[in-house]
Structure formats: structure tokens, C-alpha cells
Amino acid sequence: MTTSTIPEEDPNNVNDETDIVRLDPEIQSMLAKFDMTTKMTPYLDRHLILPLLEFITGRGVYSMSQLLKSTLDLLLPTKMYDFRIETYRKLYPDEEIPPSLLEQREETIERVKNEVLVEQEVIGKMFTDDQLKQIRDSRELIQYLEKEHNFTPDRLDNLYELSMFAFNCGMYLQASQLLHFYRTLSSPTNVRSVAVMWGKLATEILNQNWDTALEELNRLKEAIDTNTYRSSLQMLQERTWFIHWALFIYFNHEKGKDLILDQFLYEAHYLNAIQTMCPHILRYLATAVVTNKRRRNVMKDLVKVIQQEVYTYRDPITEFIECLFVNFDFDGAQKKLSECDHVVSNDFFIVAFRDEFMENARLLIFETFCRIHQCISIDMLAEKLNLEKEAAEKWIVQLIRDSHLDAKIDSQLGHVVMGFQAPSPYQEVIEKTKALSFRSQVLVSSIVKVVEKNTVATTTGLEPVAVSTPWAQ
């Protein structure tokens, strides 16, 4: 677990003048207040924090010197010497690079050439053996490799160490391959098996292999949920780490916005972890709901959670939903929507959904407003939607056409006239039972786990498995 904080600004540092974006002081204060970087870092590997710092650099939220200092501190325990040297030069342009840093760089390059790349090539050639592909048992694999390729079991430990070394050098592709070799050759009950899952997940995220990363995420989730020998606190901590790492995948994978809702809003253990350890994750659940038109029925459940946590966490996105669906304060929602635009645009995970979020948020305002009004002024709607009158009228026409709303526009009076449509009892039943199947599966799974735990404890007398920690920092 890595903690990174943004250091206090040094007013005498000339590098503060290199900020790329100059923001209004009020907007900067708001963005700094709602910036997620310092909230996320305690639960991320330092290599996963680097993209967050790179993203926020130059956006005017923090000074350049602050971010460079944080980046340099983050890089210190790693072997990413080129990155460290580059950051050092930006931070201290008038100083020489420390000779010790250059020496360590050369030593690392030599080890990469003589050990990492050599081992990767040797093991890779072994795995091209057709006979090897037919063997599934790890013990048989080791015996076969020992006989045919002079592979000794003690090389497994070296393989693990080299994968960690490659990872710390920023060689994520090589680290992923070495971890794959290690996991294939080692027993599933290996004490490092869970740590390897964390490492493999980190490498796939950093390599941006989202399909493979999702597979690794599901494998890790199963390992966390099925190991009932950990204490409640340990499982809570692991689920909290899992939740934060999963954000990289859920907001990059095509199925991610559905998965984040199914797993974090409707699985009790993960929702409990969010409410207990990291209520700031509600921002991402809210974003997933707003941008997912097919899951609007989830909004009621989300609103309940937001209301429960209103005293522990609030930001413009959760406040927007609170204004719209709890207080029916359309003026407040319109104001919060403007703040949401700034917050979404400066959030690493959801910035790509900025246009989609704003469009769907306006749609939610329109739909909610129309439910309680029959005749609506286009001028008023334009104000509520933060649009010009002409743009608002075009947007409403397009919305009526696309969504098949029972509404008409009176251009002479400048009104939108809503038709009345009684709710279908069939649709209400469908909406209320949509999540029933998923919840039933979760309940059955929980019962099976409890039964299996009791069976193992009473019939086999197995000792608790040693607790594995996330990927070594």
C-alpha cells in the first residue's frame, strides 16, 4: 500500500511559473478540494499512481513543482532511472545529476540484459515445447522441464524475483510474461499465488490489455471472496484495494459500466467496503449510472446509498443527483451540473465520458422536470439545461425523436407540451425484478461459501492459509 501526498507549494520555486493551465482561483480551489489523487493513492501500487500524477500535471490544479516533487518521491524506490533523471532535470534544471544515480542506472541496465531478458528468452523457448502444452499439473511440468530442459525448482524463486525487478524497472510486458511463467509452473496453493495475481493485474492494467486485465480481476476477486480464513479486517482491506484497482478496468472496458454497478452496488461485501473505507467511490458509481441509459432503474438504489453517506462524502456529482432526485431542486441541479463539468474534466478515470455525462445529465434534468410539469417554457428549459434557447430547442426536438417521448413543441408560444402516459404495470414489475436474478445468485453464492467453509473445517481439519499481501511495493 503506497501513500503519496501533494507537497505544500514553495512560493520561491521558479518552476511554479511553468504551469500550463491558468485557472480562476475559485475554480482551482474547487478542483483541488474534489481532486481524487490523494484519496486514491493509499490503495494503489506506486506504478499505478504515476498515470494519475501525469494526468493532473499541467491542468492548473497544483503547481508544476509540487507535482514533480511528488513524482520524484514516488520513483525513488523504483528502478525507473531514466524517468527519475528526466524528472530530476525538470525539477532542478541548474543542478548536475547525482553520479550515484547514473551508476545505479548502468547497473540496472546490465542486470536487465544479463538476467531478465536472458531468462525471458530461455523460459519462453521452453514453453514452445509442444509436449509441455499438454501437461496441466505443475509438478509434472517441473519434472518434465527438469528432465528435458535442465530446469531446477530453485529457479522458480529467481523467476519471481526477476518479475518483480522487471516491474520496478517499468518493463511491464516482460514482467507480465515472467509472472505468467511463474504462475504456470508453481502450485495453485503456493504462498505467493495471491501476490502474483495482484502483480499480474497491475502489469495488464499498465499494458492496457483490458480484456486480459478483466480476466485477472475476476480471478483475483474469486480468490479474495473464497478465502474465508482471513480476518474481517484483512478482507475489508483487500476489497478496498480491489475496488480502487478495478476502476482502471471498469472505465476502459466496454462492459465496465455494467460491471461496476453489479459488483459494487449490489454485492453487499463491496458496498460495505465502499461505505466503510472509501465513500469517494460513490462518484464513480454515480457516473456509471448517469452515463448508462440502459440501467436507469439502478438510480433509486444509488440515491439511497448517496443519502446514507451524505455526511461522510459529497462532491458536485453526488450533489447533482441529490438535488435532482431527492430535493427536486432544478436550480441547484443546474448549478451543480456546471461544477460537474469541471470535476469530470479533471478526473483521470471519467474524463473520457465528459460529453456523455453532460448529455445524459441534461436528459435526466429534462425527464425529471417533465414528470411534474405538463407545459414547459423552452426559455426555462434552456436555462435549466445551461444551453442557448435555439440550441435547447434543437436538443429537445432530437430528444423527442430519439426517445419517442409523448411531447409536442408549440413554436409560437415557445412551449413544450407533455402528453400523459399512465405507467404500465408490466413495466413496473419488470423494473422492480430486474436485479432479482443477480441478487439471488449472490445470495446462493454466499450460502455455498458458508457451507463449504463449515464442511472443510469439520471434515478435513485444514489449517488456515497464510495471508498474502498485494503485489510488493
Side-chain angles (χ1 to χ4, degrees):
M1 188 166 64
T2 304
T3 302
S4 176
T5 57
I6 306 296
E8 293 297 323
E9 182 173 353
D10 181 2
N12 299 317
N13 196 317
V14 296
N15 283 316
D16 287 343
E17 300 178 0
T18 61
D19 285 345
I20 298 173
V21 176
R22 297 293 182 182
L23 296 174
D24 178 90
E26 186 176 345
I27 294 177
Q28 182 188 17
S29 175
M30 181 194 69
L31 291 177
K33 178 181 178 181
F34 296 115
D35 176 50
M36 284 291 190
T37 307
T38 53
K39 294 182 183 294
M40 304 291 289
T41 53
Y43 309 105
L44 296 176
D45 183 279
R46 66 183 64 251
H47 291 258
L48 296 177
I49 299 172
L50 288 172
L52 273 65
L53 290 182
E54 183 180 359
F55 171 81
I56 204 68
T57 299
R59 290 180 174 266
V61 181
Y62 305 105
S63 72
M64 187 68 76
S65 62
Q66 288 177 293
L67 292 165
L68 287 173
K69 286 178 182 177
S70 294
T71 302
L72 192 59
D73 290 342
L74 204 61
L75 289 169
L76 282 177
T78 74
K79 305 291 183 181
M80 301 169 69
Y81 292 106
D82 287 341
F83 197 174
R84 285 172 61 180
I85 291 170
E86 180 186 355
T87 305
Y88 190 92
R89 282 175 175 158
K90 289 179 180 178
L91 187 59
Y92 307 111
D94 298 326
E95 296 185 18
E96 293 290 331
I97 302 298
S100 60
L101 193 60
L102 297 174
E103 292 175 4
Q104 291 170 352
R105 177 182 180 274
E106 293 301 319
E107 292 173 1
T108 299
I109 291 174
E110 285 301 311
R111 187 178 179 189
V112 168
K113 290 180 179 178
N114 298 331
E115 296 184 41
V116 176
L117 298 181
V118 170
E119 187 73 358
Q120 181 188 10
E121 183 179 0
V122 171
I123 300 294
K125 287 181 178 178
M126 291 182 187
F127 273 75
T128 59
D129 189 329
D130 292 334
Q131 183 68 26
L132 193 68
K133 296 176 182 178
Q134 300 175 11
I135 304 175
R136 299 301 179 188
D137 184 74
S138 58
R139 291 182 181 179
E140 292 182 16
L141 274 175
I142 294 292
Q143 292 173 358
Y144 179 81
L145 289 174
E146 189 173 359
K147 179 180 178 181
E148 300 295 332
H149 298 278
N150 297 320
F151 182 90
T152 55
D154 60 315
R155 284 178 65 179
L156 268 179
D157 290 334
N158 185 57
L159 194 59
Y160 180 80
E161 291 175 6
L162 287 179
S163 67
M164 288 183 61
F165 180 78
F167 184 82
N168 278 321
C169 290
M171 302 172 63
Y172 305 123
L173 180 60
Q174 289 79 3
S176 177
Q177 292 175 344
L178 291 173
L179 283 171
H180 170 70
F181 296 150
Y182 178 85
R183 185 163 63 186
T184 303
L185 295 173
S186 60
S187 168
T189 58
N190 188 301
V191 69
R192 291 172 174 161
S193 60
V194 176
V196 170
M197 290 182 191
W198 285 101
K200 195 71 167 65
L201 176 60
T203 57
E204 298 303 339
I205 290 172
L206 293 163
N207 288 325
Q208 299 184 24
N209 295 329
W210 304 120
D211 287 333
T212 307
L214 181 59
E215 293 174 7
E216 295 296 335
L217 189 73
N218 291 333
R219 181 178 293 176
L220 178 61
K221 181 178 181 295
E222 183 180 358
I224 293 173
D225 292 345
T226 55
N227 191 336
T228 55
Y229 297 111
R230 291 183 177 87
S231 69
S232 298
L233 178 59
Q234 290 169 330
M235 295 187 75
L236 180 63
Q237 289 173 334
E238 287 202 340
R239 288 191 174 110
T240 305
W241 291 322
F242 177 92
I243 287 166
H244 287 79
W245 290 40
L247 294 178
F248 288 92
I249 300 165
Y250 288 154
F251 286 105
N252 283 284
H253 196 278
E254 60 182 359
K255 298 179 181 178
K257 287 188 290 184
D258 286 322
L259 293 173
I260 191 174
L261 297 176
D262 292 338
Q263 295 188 0
F264 294 167
L265 190 59
Y266 290 116
E267 290 201 31
H269 290 310
Y270 290 89
L271 181 59
N272 177 59
I274 290 171
Q275 293 178 302
T276 306
M277 301 289 288
C278 50
H280 53 269
I281 298 297
L282 289 177
R283 172 187 294 186
Y284 302 107
L285 287 175
T287 301
V289 174
V290 171
T291 56
N292 197 336
K293 293 181 181 179
R294 295 181 295 104
R295 301 293 297 274
R296 287 292 165 77
N297 60 304
V298 173
M299 184 64 76
K300 293 180 182 178
D301 296 324
L302 175 66
V303 169
K304 290 178 184 177
V305 177
I306 289 176
Q307 284 184 280
Q308 290 171 0
E309 301 303 318
V310 69
Y311 297 108
T312 59
Y313 180 78
R314 300 180 81 180
D315 68 19
I317 296 176
T318 61
E319 288 176 333
F320 167 77
I321 290 178
E322 187 182 353
C323 285
L324 196 55
F325 294 101
V326 179
N327 304 324
F328 296 98
D329 178 3
F330 295 99
D331 291 330
Q334 189 269 333
K335 180 181 178 182
K336 290 300 174 184
L337 185 58
S338 178
E339 294 179 6
C340 288
D341 190 10
H342 292 293
V343 170
V344 173
S345 298
N346 286 275
D347 189 296
F348 173 84
F349 293 102
I350 56 178
V351 63
F353 300 97
R354 183 241 173 212
D355 292 340
E356 190 177 350
F357 180 91
M358 296 302 291
E359 177 71 15
N360 282 278
R362 291 192 183 103
L363 176 59
L364 287 172
I365 293 175
F366 180 78
E367 288 178 345
T368 307
F369 198 80
C370 290
R371 287 196 193 104
I372 56 177
H373 296 85
Q374 187 174 5
C375 186
I376 310 160
S377 167
I378 293 178
D379 288 333
M380 183 189 298
L381 275 177
E383 183 181 349
K384 302 293 183 189
L385 299 171
N386 200 23
L387 293 171
E388 296 294 331
K389 180 180 178 180
E390 185 179 350
E393 188 170 352
K394 290 181 179 179
W395 184 83
I396 294 167
V397 170
Q398 188 67 33
L399 176 64
I400 292 173
R401 182 182 300 141
D402 293 343
S403 302
H404 305 291
L405 291 175
D406 186 8
K408 296 179 181 179
I409 294 180
D410 189 331
S411 300
Q412 291 183 345
L413 297 176
H415 289 165
V416 178
V417 181
M418 301 299 301
F420 177 75
Q421 184 176 2
S424 167
Y426 304 106
Q427 188 61 33
E428 288 186 352
V429 171
I430 291 172
E431 291 295 331
K432 289 182 179 180
T433 58
K434 263 186 177 178
L436 186 60
S437 175
F438 178 79
R439 291 176 179 176
S440 299
Q441 289 176 6
V442 173
L443 181 60
V444 169
S445 177
S446 300
I447 293 172
V448 169
K449 289 173 188 175
V450 171
V451 172
E452 288 178 348
K453 177 183 177 182
N454 293 337
T455 303
V456 170
T458 56
T459 61
T460 64
L462 291 177
E463 293 295 325
V465 179
V467 175
S468 297
T469 58
W471 185 238
Q473 305 298 320

